[in-house]
């Protein structure tokens, strides 16, 4: 059952990555949620699935033109999110 959930999360992440190329804000929010999910399943021991989710969603967040790099709050939010995501895998 858990593998089905991980498979659906990967499909959702790919869709969010494709939609995040255009500044579609709900897709970026979905990528943020999937980054946290990747950290959680990495902590549970599903490292390969977690690394795949981390790769897809990191590309979606970094490649999105909707990320405002001039806003200090946005720049402080991203490292915090990535610390939680990568921390679950480590």
């Amino acid at each position: 059952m858990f593998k089905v959930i991980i498979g659906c999360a990967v499909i959702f992440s790919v869709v969010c990555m494709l939609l995040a190329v255009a500044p579609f804000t709900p897709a970026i929010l979905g990528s943020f949620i999937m980054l946290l999910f990747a950290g959680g399943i990495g902590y549970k021991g599903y490292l390969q699935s977690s690394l795949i989710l981390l790769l897809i969603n990191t590309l979606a967040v970094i490649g999105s033109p909707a990320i405002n790099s001039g806003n200090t709050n946005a720049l402080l939010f991203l490292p915090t999110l990535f610390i939680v995501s990568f921390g679950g895998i480590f």
Side-chain angles (χ1 to χ4, degrees), residues 30-45:
S31 294
F32 288 153
I33 292 169
M34 287 295 115
L35 277 170
L36 295 174
F37 183 71
I41 64 171
Y43 181 73
K44 289 295 224 180

Side-chain angles (χ1 to χ4, degrees), residues 39-79:
I41 64 171
Y43 181 73
K44 289 295 224 180
Y46 295 96
L47 292 178
Q48 290 178 341
S49 302
S50 179
L51 286 173
I52 290 170
L53 283 172
L54 192 67
L55 172 73
I56 293 170
N57 292 306
T58 301
L59 289 174
V61 169
I62 291 175
S64 174
I67 300 295
N68 186 5
S69 60
N71 188 357
T72 307
N73 291 333
L75 292 178
L76 292 175
F77 173 70
L78 288 176

